[in-house]
Amino acid sequence: MSIIKDFLLQLTLMVMPIFTYFTFITEWVKSSKNRNVIMSILWGISILFCMSFPVNLGENARLELRIIPLLLGTLYGGVWPGIFLSALIILYRLYFGISVGFYNTVFVLLFSLPVILFFQKRFASSKKDRRVKIAVGLALYYCLIGLTIFGILRGFSIDYLKVQIIHLVLAVVVTWFFTILTETIRVIHQLRFEMENSEKLRVISELTSVFAHEIRNPMQVTRGFLQLLNEPDLPDKKKEYIQLSIGELDRANEIINDFLSFGKPTIDHLERINVGNQLNRVVNIIQSYSLNHNVEIKTDFFDDCWIYVNPQKLNQSLINILKNAIESMPNGGMVWITCTSTDDGNIKISIKDQGIGMTKEQIARLGSPFYSLKESGTGLGMMVSFQIVRSFKGKIHVNSTKGMGTEFIILLPKIT
């Protein structure tokens, strides 16, 4: 019974950081960097408790699952959290004294941590099922390394071998369970975030549909009278004021059009199109705009890129993203547009620039209502682009580094 209690305590100490993070930290802390630091601290506390309250299997036989918080903290946090947690394990083990156990801990980490860090990027870019396999595989590798080094340092015996095998089985099973638990909570959290955004967009759509007509009527009347007032013999200053007023009315009308895009179905009039041909049309449309900004567009399109979309809506989305790419380079530069077919049945459209780039926080807010990086922007264009791609059952991923440019990756289901 004591062994079961100790084991349940180990599990509780490991599950607490997960629920603390998703229940409180994601709500209160907006910076991804600060979240990462806090999560590393939480996993560190979990490691300290696991090492302080091990499962006692008999005389000189102790079992603790510090591998789980170390592994999850590194895979989800990255390189620096992994190094921090490893250093914490070594320092805390040193606190108990230098012995064979201390050397065993150091050697296991020396052989295991580089492998875990090597797979971390692959883990971060993988889907749920592959993440579970990577985590379980790394836990198995860690335990096998531990078993081997333990045997070399202390010698192989039946009793110690039994303890190590029990540790291996528990570590693999618990890693599998906690990885699935973490992934499930992440999916639920993301769905809730998307639902909140969807509700905001629904409210915007309803309000816009109600007021757009009433707002546009007086705007068109005002614009008409301004054009009538713009006579040839007017002073240049007054002509300038009239043109500015007309320009602002046109800008307001464009904003209304963006709002109305939320209320219009984007799944009507779907056609089978070749993405390469469609991208060529988009490039031709925006070519003069890019030349005015001293930006060169280079293209590379794979021939067999067929998708089922509304061409006009796709154009609207691509033009919005291309305009943002061009405007992100005030001193000119290059934009690369590529279209390829992926192994998982998608068409991948990549739009990459040499612009000012974005931080992780800015990337996370892209496509949110009223968020824009431009001083005079409303964020509606990017919002519309994200919604259009989602309506075609596609996804948009953004990779960016501050000062080094941005890459928009659009994934759309491929058809034959």
Side-chain angles (χ1 to χ4, degrees):
M1 184 62 74
S2 175
I3 293 175
I4 295 174
K5 287 182 179 178
D6 291 341
F7 178 66
L8 290 176
L9 177 61
Q10 291 269 314
L11 292 180
T12 303
L13 294 172
M14 288 182 287
V15 80
M16 284 177 62
I18 297 174
F19 283 105
T20 302
Y21 178 78
F22 286 107
T23 305
F24 301 106
I25 306 305
T26 53
E27 297 292 334
W28 297 344
V29 182
K30 300 304 179 184
S31 168
S32 60
K33 183 178 180 180
N34 292 339
R35 286 183 183 179
N36 219 15
V37 170
I38 294 171
M39 197 61 197
S40 300
I41 294 171
L42 290 174
W43 283 125
I45 294 172
S46 178
I47 287 173
L48 295 179
F49 279 126
C50 285
M51 294 176 69
S52 300
F53 304 102
V55 179
N56 293 304
L57 299 177
E59 187 176 355
N60 296 324
R62 291 154 47 96
L63 185 153
E64 34 89 357
L65 298 173
R66 64 189 175 204
I67 169 60
I68 313 298
L70 169 65
L71 186 59
L72 295 181
T74 305
L75 291 177
Y76 285 103
V79 175
W80 291 111
I83 294 172
F84 164 74
L85 295 174
S86 300
L88 186 65
I89 290 173
I90 293 172
L91 292 173
Y92 194 56
R93 187 62 187 82
L94 183 62
Y95 170 76
F96 291 108
I98 297 178
S99 61
V100 176
F102 172 75
Y103 292 118
N104 182 75
T105 298
V106 173
F107 284 125
V108 170
L109 286 173
L110 283 175
F111 283 102
S112 300
L113 184 61
V115 176
I116 296 173
L117 293 177
F118 175 79
F119 281 96
Q120 192 275 327
K121 284 188 177 180
R122 188 175 299 178
F123 177 88
S125 60
S126 298
K127 295 181 179 179
K128 177 182 175 180
D129 292 341
R130 187 168 178 80
R131 285 188 173 194
V132 174
K133 291 177 183 177
I134 291 173
V136 169
L138 290 173
L140 180 62
Y141 171 79
Y142 180 95
C143 293
L144 289 174
I145 290 293
L147 191 152
T148 304
I149 294 176
F150 187 88
I152 294 171
L153 294 177
R154 292 194 178 185
F156 290 96
S157 67
I158 298 298
D159 291 335
Y160 280 125
L161 193 60
K162 286 180 180 178
V163 173
Q164 291 301 312
I165 291 174
I166 292 171
H167 179 260
L168 185 150
V169 173
L170 286 177
V172 169
V173 171
V174 174
T175 299
W176 171 81
F177 173 76
F178 274 101
T179 308
I180 288 180
L181 177 65
T182 304
E183 288 298 315
T184 303
I185 295 175
R186 280 164 61 92
V187 169
I188 293 171
H189 185 76
Q190 183 63 29
L191 286 174
R192 192 187 71 174
F193 176 76
E194 289 177 0
M195 284 180 65
E196 289 174 354
N197 270 348
S198 297
E199 182 61 22
K200 290 177 183 177
L201 298 180
R202 185 187 65 80
V203 172
I204 291 171
S205 174
E206 290 181 358
L207 289 174
T208 304
S209 299
V210 172
F211 293 113
H213 181 70
E214 298 301 326
I215 294 173
R216 271 180 165 170
N217 280 345
M219 283 175 54
Q220 292 302 322
V221 171
T222 305
R223 193 183 191 284
F225 280 119
L226 285 171
Q227 287 178 315
L228 289 174
L229 290 173
N230 193 17
E231 296 178 352
D233 57 345
L234 277 178
D236 291 340
K237 203 66 177 175
K238 288 187 178 181
K239 283 186 177 182
E240 181 184 348
Y241 291 152
I242 290 173
Q243 289 302 320
L244 284 173
S245 300
I246 291 174
E248 288 302 300
L249 285 171
D250 290 340
R251 180 170 169 271
N253 192 53
E254 288 177 6
I255 293 172
I256 292 173
N257 286 335
D258 284 339
F259 270 120
L260 286 173
S261 295
F262 292 106
K264 295 177 182 177
T266 58
I267 57 173
D268 290 345
H269 310 298
L270 301 183
E271 300 176 17
R272 181 179 182 270
I273 66 165
N274 187 308
V275 181
N277 295 338
Q278 201 68 24
L279 285 169
N280 276 322
R281 291 192 188 99
V282 169
V283 170
N284 289 334
I285 291 170
I286 208 165
Q287 193 74 54
S288 60
Y289 186 78
S290 66
L291 292 175
N292 288 336
H293 286 75
N294 197 28
V295 172
E296 184 181 353
I297 299 176
K298 288 196 172 183
T299 61
D300 183 16
F301 304 143
F302 183 68
D303 289 336
D304 190 23
C305 289
W306 293 93
I307 56 175
Y308 200 57
V309 296
N310 181 313
Q312 287 73 34
K313 292 295 183 182
L314 181 63
N315 281 1
Q316 183 182 359
S317 176
L318 293 171
I319 288 171
N320 280 337
I321 294 172
L322 269 171
K323 282 186 68 177
N324 280 348
I326 292 167
E327 291 168 359
S328 72
M329 297 180 284
N331 299 319
M334 192 87 66
V335 173
W336 292 270
I337 308 174
T338 62
C339 171
T340 58
S341 180
T342 65
D343 295 333
D344 56 355
N346 286 318
I347 296 299
K348 175 183 174 183
I349 303 170
S350 171
I351 300 174
K352 187 175 182 180
D353 63 57
Q354 298 175 312
I356 57 175
M358 293 179 283
T359 63
K360 289 183 178 179
E361 289 75 16
Q362 290 171 332
I363 293 173
R365 295 187 63 187
L366 275 181
S368 299
F370 309 114
Y371 180 72
S372 175
L373 297 175
K374 294 180 284 188
E375 291 183 6
S376 59
T378 62
L380 294 173
M382 192 56 65
M383 246 193 333
V384 170
S385 297
F386 272 73
Q387 192 208 34
I388 289 172
V389 171
R390 281 195 293 264
S391 73
F392 299 144
K393 298 180 181 179
K395 296 179 181 178
I396 295 183
H397 300 295
V398 183
N399 301 320
S400 185
T401 303
K402 195 70 176 175
M404 296 182 65
T406 301
E407 180 182 20
F408 277 81
I409 297 174
I410 302 171
L411 297 174
L412 294 166
K414 180 182 179 180
I415 62 171
T416 55

